[in-house]
Amino acid sequence: MTEDTGIGWRGWLTRVLLLVLLASSIGAALLYTRYQRFLEQTISVSADGLLYEFRSGASLSGLARDLAERGVIDQPRMLGLLGRQMDLAHRLQAGEYRLRDDMTPADLLSLLADGDIEQYSMTVIEGQTFRELLNAVRASDVIEATLETDDAGEIMSVLGYPGEHPEGRFLPDTYHFPRGTTDVEFLQRAYAAMQQQLATAWEDRQEDLPLDSPYEALILASIVEKETGRADERPRIAGVFTQRLRKGMRLQTDPTVIYGMGESFDGNIRRRDLQTDTPYNTYTRDGLPPTPIALPGAAALEAVMHPEESGYLYFVATGDGQGSHYFSRTLKEHNMAVKKFQLGQSGITLPGTGQ
């Protein structure tokens, strides 16, 4: 009787153990299946994606909880397990990311580990003044404002270039950057880009230019930039100014006068404005103005370094709605062009054009 009871107890224990093992195996299989399903499913965001900020100091578990609370994933523990399995738990980088609706959890973690931060863009426009550039930077809702002064000299000191005039020093281009980039960082980058562009262009310049330094080339390029928006005219206009500099003629260009007028310019330039002396009035002063008058683009720099040697000394806007100019080699021809295009006098035929 005792022997039969012992055999029965061991049998029941074996059965219990087998049931426990079976249940564990089934549970493990179900958990494995759920995990595999979690790995294969895409995250839950809209078709436009979701901008998500992973803050500095945040952990993988904190990320998983936050994404679950937002409804992006439904298994936060599994995301934590996946992160440790991929050895990414301590490699996630802070920043703002765009989560796409075609991403798997592994794609999401790889995105944060690679630091593929969402990029924004701002275009610095050719012909802008430094003040206009500064206003555009301050108007951005993704660039962090840190400059607390409007004084140009103080701003240049903060940027690391004390004593330099800011006009013309920043390269027009489209810049890409993450949210939180500071105004100082943005301006420093545009400054460095202009330095590189100017140095390269100066190194490749044609011989015998009437310019003594890259800065003089920058000044002249800013004038060319303001005189025309037509790419085909830039080398010719640059040629007019280099010819005038060679001959010791005054540049007599309206944009420099307007820049010298500052805030008093009301959209019209009058004869008295041309006669009022300022450091930027190229009707009353010889040579180049003391600084650039705007931000010249790479094409304007290239035009100044390789001006068209046409022999033209004058040009006047034709008013054709396309920004075109009529170019003349003599003052007589130029005066005729002014009467025709600016004063609207009829019956004037310009030499060699039939116009």
Side-chain angles (χ1 to χ4, degrees):
M1 193 66 181
T2 303
E3 184 178 349
D4 291 342
T5 301
I7 294 173
W9 178 83
R10 286 194 295 272
W12 279 107
L13 179 59
T14 299
R15 290 181 183 181
V16 169
L17 290 174
L18 288 174
L19 288 173
V20 169
L21 289 174
L22 180 59
S24 298
S25 298
I26 293 174
L30 290 174
L31 182 61
Y32 177 77
T33 300
R34 288 175 58 193
Y35 184 59
Q36 289 301 120
R37 188 181 300 119
F38 173 76
L39 296 181
E40 295 169 0
Q41 70 184 13
T42 55
I43 62 177
S44 181
V45 296
S46 69
D48 294 332
L50 171 69
L51 279 176
Y52 180 79
E53 183 179 6
F54 183 63
R55 297 182 181 277
S56 179
S59 65
L60 173 61
S61 59
L63 169 70
R65 287 194 302 272
D66 190 36
L67 291 177
E69 289 173 1
R70 292 169 179 254
V72 176
I73 60 172
D74 58 4
Q75 299 290 337
R77 291 184 179 179
M78 290 187 178
L79 186 70
L81 175 62
L82 176 61
R84 289 186 289 274
Q85 180 183 339
M86 296 175 68
D87 194 27
L88 298 181
H90 301 292
R91 292 167 53 192
L92 305 180
Q93 301 182 45
E96 185 181 44
Y97 298 87
R98 183 169 295 278
L99 309 184
R100 304 187 312 273
D101 63 350
D102 62 345
M103 283 182 167
T104 64
D107 294 331
L108 186 156
L109 292 175
S110 294
L111 179 74
L112 271 64
D114 292 341
D116 192 6
I117 298 170
E118 177 74 3
Q119 297 289 305
Y120 295 86
S121 66
M122 173 177 284
T123 299
V124 178
I125 302 170
E126 293 92 341
Q128 276 187 325
T129 64
F130 171 70
R131 186 58 54 187
E132 290 169 336
L133 167 60
L134 188 60
N135 289 339
V137 170
R138 285 175 168 171
S140 170
D141 59 358
V142 294
I143 294 178
E144 181 182 348
T146 63
L147 292 169
E148 299 179 350
T149 178
D150 289 328
D151 183 82
E154 291 182 21
I155 290 173
M156 292 303 287
S157 293
V158 172
L159 296 184
Y161 312 108
E164 291 189 7
H165 195 284
E167 199 63 79
R169 297 282 192 176
F170 306 88
L171 184 68
D173 200 353
T174 297
Y175 297 90
H176 300 275
F177 51 89
R179 182 185 292 276
T181 295
T182 68
D183 43 15
V184 170
E185 291 169 337
F186 182 89
L187 292 172
Q188 286 174 330
R189 181 177 171 191
Y191 179 97
M194 176 59 86
Q195 289 291 97
Q196 180 61 49
Q197 187 72 41
L198 180 58
T200 300
W202 180 256
E203 183 69 23
D204 189 47
R205 72 190 184 282
Q206 74 178 47
E207 297 180 358
D208 302 324
L209 290 178
L211 303 168
D212 295 330
S213 67
Y215 190 60
E216 288 193 354
L218 185 66
I219 293 172
L220 185 55
S222 74
I223 298 173
V224 172
E225 189 69 72
K226 294 299 288 185
E227 279 287 8
T228 183
R230 290 190 53 160
D232 60 320
E233 284 194 350
R234 289 193 186 101
R236 185 170 298 175
I237 286 180
V240 170
F241 290 134
T242 53
Q243 279 285 83
R244 282 179 161 262
L245 289 172
R246 287 192 182 103
K247 292 178 177 293
M249 299 173 65
R250 288 177 177 171
L251 297 185
Q252 296 183 322
T253 170
D254 292 357
T256 63
V257 177
I258 293 170
Y259 188 83
M261 293 171 66
E263 294 182 359
S264 67
F265 179 63
D266 61 3
N268 295 309
I269 187 168
R270 304 168 180 84
R271 181 177 296 274
R272 68 172 180 270
D273 298 323
L274 302 179
Q275 297 171 343
T276 300
D277 183 53
T278 75
Y280 291 88
N281 190 334
T282 52
Y283 285 85
T284 62
R285 299 203 180 193
D286 298 334
L288 295 165
T291 74
I293 60 171
L295 307 178
L301 285 170
E302 179 65 18
V304 165
M305 304 302 181
H306 300 276
E308 182 180 310
E309 301 292 345
S310 59
Y312 291 121
L313 291 170
Y314 309 89
F315 59 88
V316 62
T318 64
D320 64 354
Q322 300 178 17
S324 303
H325 293 82
Y326 180 85
F327 294 82
S328 306
R329 292 182 174 86
T330 67
L331 181 57
K332 179 181 179 181
E333 182 182 355
H334 175 65
N335 288 336
M336 293 174 62
V338 169
K339 291 177 181 178
K340 180 180 180 68
F341 295 116
Q342 297 293 301
L343 303 180
Q345 293 185 14
S346 60
I348 297 178
T349 301
L350 296 171
T353 66
Q355 299 184 59

